[in-house]
Amino acid sequence: DTAVSQTPKYLVTQMGNDKSIKCEQNLGHDTMYWYKQDSKKFLKIMFSYNNKELIINETVPNRFSPKSPDKAHLNLHINSLELGDSAVYFCASSRLDRGNEQYFGPGTRLTVT
Amino acid sequence: AQTVTQSQPEMSVQEAETVTLSCTYDTSESDYYLFWYKQPPSRQMILVIRQEAYKQQNATENRFSVNFQKAAKSFSLKISDSQLGDAAMYFCAHLRGSSNTGKLIFGQGTTLQVKP
């Protein structure tokens, strides 16, 4: 009965590779997010989708491409991975009503070597 | 632009004692929400408490309470009767009330150590 799930939890890959992280929520929320937590534990939003439409696209390299096939899924594809992409990536979801809390997935630790 | 500042990178508390984590924020708006999230070593982000800016009453959740000072733009978290399981990184976060994007702005985090 996991609310927000992400796969994989750990990802180790080499520079230049392309990888994807998948996210699914079973909470019936209409909005999903991708956050990046860097090595200093700072959390910053990358993307947000509402009903499959992109509503936030922060200053993120275009090597990062989110895709939302339906309201319950938001995947993150990263092309040409770089050392600086190493981080923990969190998926989250919420209802976009006023002030609703966001529920986070367990995170994916990406290590680029 | 909204900013959130947590000036205490690390704090420690003795088990069963009380500790307060500080958070200040900057916003030009009067309608917003504030949150405290906990991130234990498992790295799961867990909501601890939520405050609506238009409510003067401070939010409480069991041993967790906030001191919300709107004029001072301060939102501190008080943990009473600290337990070993409270050891974690704590993040303060801000959300615009008029937000149609759900964009949460996080502070830098405070690592809380609980000593037995």
Side-chain angles (χ1 to χ4, degrees), chain A residues 4-16:
Chain A
V4 182
S5 60
Q6 289 178 235
T7 52
K9 290 206 172 80
Y10 298 92
L11 187 51
V12 181
T13 188
Q14 291 184 327
M15 282 175 55

Side-chain angles (χ1 to χ4, degrees), chain A residues 16-107:
Chain A
N17 285 348
D18 303 339
K19 289 293 178 187
S20 292
I21 306 172
K22 296 187 174 183
C23 178
E24 177 180 2
Q25 56 97 1
N26 62 5
L27 297 166
H29 290 161
D30 56 6
T31 306
M32 296 183 73
Y33 312 84
W34 278 110
Y35 287 87
K36 179 179 180 179
Q37 186 172 42
D38 63 24
S39 58
K40 296 185 177 172
K41 299 295 183 88
F42 187 65
L43 267 162
K44 190 167 190 278
I45 194 163
M46 300 171 68
F47 301 104
S48 169
Y49 269 77
N50 175 251
N51 287 319
K52 302 196 305 175
E53 286 195 28
L54 183 66
I55 55 172
I56 294 177
N57 185 349
E58 292 291 290
T59 312
V60 176
N62 57 15
R63 299 181 294 101
F64 289 78
S65 53
K67 286 205 171 38
S68 181
D70 56 56
K71 282 198 312 183
H73 296 84
L74 180 63
N75 303 323
L76 183 66
H77 188 75
I78 315 170
N79 289 326
S80 304
L81 278 154
E82 300 177 357
L83 292 176
D85 297 333
S86 296
V88 178
Y89 292 86
F90 285 97
C91 177
S93 74
S94 75
R95 281 179 27 225
L96 202 54
D97 300 26
R98 291 175 53 81
N100 279 305
E101 73 168 282
Q102 294 181 17
Y103 291 78
F104 284 77

Side-chain angles (χ1 to χ4, degrees), chain B:
Chain B
Q2 288 77 24
T3 58
V4 178
T5 302
Q6 293 177 247
S7 58
Q8 307 155 316
E10 295 180 355
M11 291 283 285
S12 68
V13 62
Q14 208 68 35
E15 198 176 1
E17 298 291 308
T18 295
V19 65
T20 298
L21 308 184
S22 301
C23 173
T24 58
Y25 56 94
D26 189 21
T27 181
S28 57
E29 303 181 355
S30 59
D31 180 20
Y32 51 88
Y33 299 82
L34 296 164
F35 304 84
W36 278 99
Y37 277 87
K38 169 185 177 181
Q39 187 178 37
S42 67
R43 81 169 179 244
Q44 179 70 54
M45 293 287 289
I46 303 162
L47 179 70
V48 175
I49 203 161
R50 171 180 174 271
Q51 175 78 42
E52 297 155 5
Y54 62 85
K55 286 190 176 177
Q56 292 191 343
Q57 188 173 4
N58 288 325
T60 62
E61 286 287 341
N62 301 315
R63 298 182 295 107
F64 298 87
S65 61
V66 298
N67 183 3
F68 174 48
Q69 301 288 326
K70 193 170 184 178
K73 295 181 182 174
S74 168
F75 182 60
S76 59
L77 175 70
K78 186 170 89 170
I79 306 174
S80 304
D81 185 25
S82 298
Q83 299 175 0
L84 294 178
D86 295 334
M89 194 151 188
Y90 287 82
F91 292 93
C92 178
H94 171 283
L95 175 67
R96 287 170 55 197
S98 58
S99 171
N100 59 356
T101 63
K103 180 177 176 180
L104 267 178
I105 305 292
F106 283 92
Q108 306 93 317
T110 297
T111 299
L112 177 66
Q113 182 187 25
V114 180
K115 297 178 181 175

